[in-house]
Amino acid sequence: MSTAGKVIKCKAAIIWEPKKPFSIVEIEVAPPKAHEVRIQILATGVCRSDDHVLSGALAVKFPIILGHEAAGVVESIGEGVTSVKPGDKVIPLFVPQCGECRACLHPRGNLCTKNDLGVSTGLMADGTSRFTYQGKPVHHFVGTSTFTEYTVVCENAVAKIDAAAPLEKVCLIGCGFSTGYGAAVNSAKVEPGSTCAVFGLGGVGLSAVMGCKAAGASRIIGVDINKDKFAKAKELGATECINPQDFKKPIQDVLIEMTDGGVDYSFEVIGRTETMIAALASCHMNFGTSVAVGVPPSASEITFSPMLLFTGRTWMGSVFGAWKSKDSVPKLVSDFMAKKFTLDPLITHTLPFHKINEAFELLRTGKSIRSVLLLQNP
Ligand code: CND
Ligand code: ZN
Ligand code: ZN
């Protein structure tokens, strides 16, 4: 029996307040309104940005359903939806692409103004939520909310993908892989023969390593305080790895010495203000570019010497790897299907949805790269 047009009761992982675990409860998911799509989520990755909400670093409105790296199947569509239909395999997009705003129309922009990042409302475009628990609304997260069996997203925030794509793998194209890889190939535009440093070797940082390698970098230096990350980083293209805790001097001084004055490109993929400055200072003063990928705590500010910029360095940020999401995600999935890159080394754990708290513990203790939670059998 079709569920289209009806409220769906299903399981979702709700966070009630920071520093508390997820509770899996039965929620109600309203049908999609005009220009909205209801998706059955089948696989979702666990990214550090979700954990930034749990730790209290990223400010959102509670209660909330987190999750922004997923893949699923369209269950039903609202009025006026033309780009997807029920049964299509899709990836929700935490950076939408409306195609009409200045960012979408600019050749370089990808941060569509319809996004719900930064100061988040936790609501759909009409100012309401599609999720309720015991009659009370529950907030959405960055327009995706994938830690639930069913979610509702705006049509601008969903991309149709290859029907043959393995959802338990390509869910990483919804965030981690695309964010890191794109930071290297789109934001920095790493050139053949260049020297790169990647700070933070988690799922996003390792994807930046893969992007640097694909772009032809000849030296890729991985930087992490967890040396257990080094073997995988080397497997994916890092030529050397260093642990800041092994040195008495600041890591930027170590990198400047190792590279005759600084790297061509550095990437901060941790989300800490100190390492953002260290990454900037690590790149060459004349032509070095540093890309901030890690999500900083909402309330943080940075103080740094303006000489770092005055002497010629470039500092830029990169959200979702600078990909125009709705156009690029289907192509990235096709490239994966054509074996142009691999996702397997990034997926260290695959767990059933009810083990979501365990998956976050694996991330916090540095034991996982990416955990993928399976909601049904994809
Ligand atoms: P994950 O936690 O897996 O990786 C971070 C890595 O940094 C770990 O290996 C840590 O050991 C390492 N680390 C921690 N502190 C330090 C330090 N002081 N010096 C060196 N290394 C350190 O996280 P992830 O890969 O899932 O995400 C990385 C960041 O990217 C995180 O801040 C996340 O919120 C952000 C992000 C950004 C975007 C975007 O669009 N820009 C999208 N999703 C996630
Ligand atoms: Zn993410
Ligand atoms: Zn737009």
Side-chain angles (χ1 to χ4, degrees), residues 48-49 52 175 202-204 224 229 269-270 293 295 318 320 370:
R48 182 63 79 164
S49 301
H52 287 329
C175 180
V204 186
D224 203 296
K229 305 281 173 112
V269 205
I270 304 163
V293 183
V295 176
S318 177
F320 193 54
R370 272 302 194 255

Side-chain angles (χ1 to χ4, degrees), residues 13 25 46 53 68-69 95 104 134 176 292 320 322:
V25 294
V46 167
V53 174
H68 64 284
E69 180 182 273
V95 172
C104 284
Q134 297 188 339
F320 193 54

Side-chain angles (χ1 to χ4, degrees), residues 70-115:
V73 172
V74 173
E75 174 270 339
S76 63
I77 55 174
E79 222 183 289
V81 171
T82 55
S83 59
V84 295
K85 58 179 189 314
D88 283 349
K89 280 191 179 174
V90 289
I91 288 182
L93 310 167
F94 71 92
V95 172
Q97 186 185 354
C98 76
E100 291 164 1
C101 72
R102 271 187 79 195
C104 284
L105 293 174
H106 196 283
R108 285 201 311 274
N110 83 314
L111 190 50
C112 173
T113 55
K114 304 271 162 55
N115 78 74

